[in-house]
Amino acid sequence: MEEIRSIQWFPGHMTKTRRKIESQLKLIDAVAVLLDARVPYSSCNPDLRSVINNKPRLVVLNKCDMADPSETKKWLALFRRKNIAAIALDCKSGKGLNAFIPTVKNVLADRIKAWNEKGMTGRTIKVMVVGIPNVGKSSFINRMSKQNRAKVEDRPGVTRGNQWYTIGKGFDLLDTPGVLWPKFDDPLVGEKLAFIGSVKDEILDTEHLSARLLEYLRDNYPDPLCARYKLDKQDIMPMRGYEMLEAVGRRRGMLISGGEIDTERAAATVLDEFRSAVLGKLTIDGAEDHPDVRI
Ligand code: G4P
């Protein structure tokens, strides 16, 4: 096995965002926690639970078009077992979005009943959307408000101001005040976020990262990996990640002068093909490996 290296990236602490979210909590009824369906554990900020305190919440597993459908099912079941409402959707096609408003109403059923009893029928429901950079918050809000008002940028960590969006009669979304960073203390979490492209590649050793990804895929998804790069399952089983990277480069004819394998190019290809789901719909946080996930 290649060694696990910590991602040397320090996104700054959470104090500012925590304060901003806390100051907005009194204005909202519920929190929608967006997670990346490929990494529902690693894309979950572990401080979030204490920040949102007792607010009603629901989990939205976004980008499920790129995740392993059987794992997504397991994740949904896991959250529901913990009495956390959870839905899976994708903002690329819009699949699953229709379940959002009914799910929020379900989560808030008791409160809505109480409002109605007090004659506050038609009171606007306000939901704050939170999630780490790049998880798809802008895309989600855009989709839900059906207008291109939320700016979508593929730059991890782009800060935005507070904004409210009306997504239907009596239903408003609040974009996260501040940036909710993931936690990088656990090197595996940092690595998985790097696999999916949530860490700038410029600060990463992409050959090492790609070698680690190949090891993960060999151990968890050997068939799509072998099919894509025409590798033999038996051959790759004893290999280290870097050897697999060379095997991919060789298969793809990626050579530099002197006949050496261009492992840098092979690394870029593997990361690219994984991130764009060309390698398949793959989930790299297994639900069974994280039974105590808490939101
Ligand atoms: P953020 O506000 O949380 O930072 O995330 P944002 O919506 O900016 O989305 C980050 C990237 O993820 C964008 O990619 C967006 O298109 C993509 N994305 C969001 N939701 C989904 C989804 O459900 N499925 C897939 N496959 N991709 C999703 P980008 O490279 O900027 O894309 P684009 O501008 O080329 O569309």
Side-chain angles (χ1 to χ4, degrees), residues 6-18:
S6 286
I7 305 288
Q8 295 299 312
W9 183 55
F10 302 101
H13 50 79
M14 279 277 300
T15 318
K16 210 167 147 201
T17 297
R18 174 185 282 270

Side-chain angles (χ1 to χ4, degrees), residues 34-85:
L34 258 66
L35 302 178
D36 188 312
R38 296 167 297 172
V39 281
Y41 173 78
S42 303
S43 60
C44 182
N45 178 306
D47 292 333
L48 191 59
R49 195 166 191 243
S50 70
V51 178
I52 60 181
N53 210 356
N54 291 323
K55 273 285 161 192
R57 71 215 56 194
L58 73 153
V59 165
V60 174
L61 292 180
N62 186 36
K63 306 198 185 187
C64 71
D65 56 312
M66 299 203 280
D68 179 341
S70 69
E71 279 296 326
T72 300
K73 256 191 214 151
K74 287 185 200 163
W75 275 104
L76 290 175
L78 176 61
F79 285 118
R80 287 168 189 164
R81 269 204 306 281
K82 290 176 180 289
N83 285 324
I84 301 167

Side-chain angles (χ1 to χ4, degrees), residues 62-66 89-92 132-140 151-154 160:
N62 186 36
K63 306 198 185 187
C64 71
D65 56 312
M66 299 203 280
L89 49 83
D90 90 73
C91 294
K92 264 276 189 283
I132 64 166
N134 235 29
V135 74
K137 294 178 297 298
S138 304
S139 309
F140 175 69
K151 205 163 158 249
V152 178
E153 288 203 51
D154 194 17
R160 292 181 300 258

Side-chain angles (χ1 to χ4, degrees), residues 73-209:
K73 256 191 214 151
K74 287 185 200 163
W75 275 104
L76 290 175
L78 176 61
F79 285 118
R80 287 168 189 164
R81 269 204 306 281
K82 290 176 180 289
N83 285 324
I84 301 167
I87 55 172
L89 49 83
D90 90 73
C91 294
K92 264 276 189 283
S93 75
K95 201 172 146 217
L97 282 161
N98 285 345
F100 180 70
I101 291 181
T103 305
V104 173
K105 286 187 174 165
N106 209 18
V107 167
L108 294 174
D110 288 349
R111 276 156 215 247
I112 294 172
K113 192 165 164 259
W115 295 336
N116 288 345
E117 279 164 10
K118 285 189 207 153
M120 296 159 73
T121 40
R123 181 190 178 286
T124 298
I125 295 171
K126 296 190 166 99
V127 180
M128 185 192 282
V129 178
V130 302
I132 64 166
N134 235 29
V135 74
K137 294 178 297 298
S138 304
S139 309
F140 175 69
I141 293 171
N142 273 340
R143 274 278 185 181
M144 291 305 295
S145 62
K146 296 190 185 73
Q147 293 169 38
N148 275 349
R149 282 185 301 179
K151 205 163 158 249
V152 178
E153 288 203 51
D154 194 17
R155 276 193 283 140
V158 171
T159 321
R160 292 181 300 258
N162 276 3
Q163 274 175 308
W164 287 97
Y165 301 86
T166 298
I167 61 164
K169 198 166 165 287
F171 211 108
D172 288 354
L173 292 183
L174 172 64
D175 201 357
T176 318
V179 179
L180 206 56
W181 294 108
K183 193 116 170 165
F184 281 92
D185 294 4
D186 176 350
L188 279 177
V189 167
E191 188 173 74
K192 286 181 178 179
L193 292 169
F195 287 164
I196 64 164
S198 275
V199 181
K200 291 186 191 89
D201 273 345
E202 301 95 82
I203 63 163
L204 300 169
D205 174 345
T206 52
E207 282 170 81
H208 181 261
L209 187 69

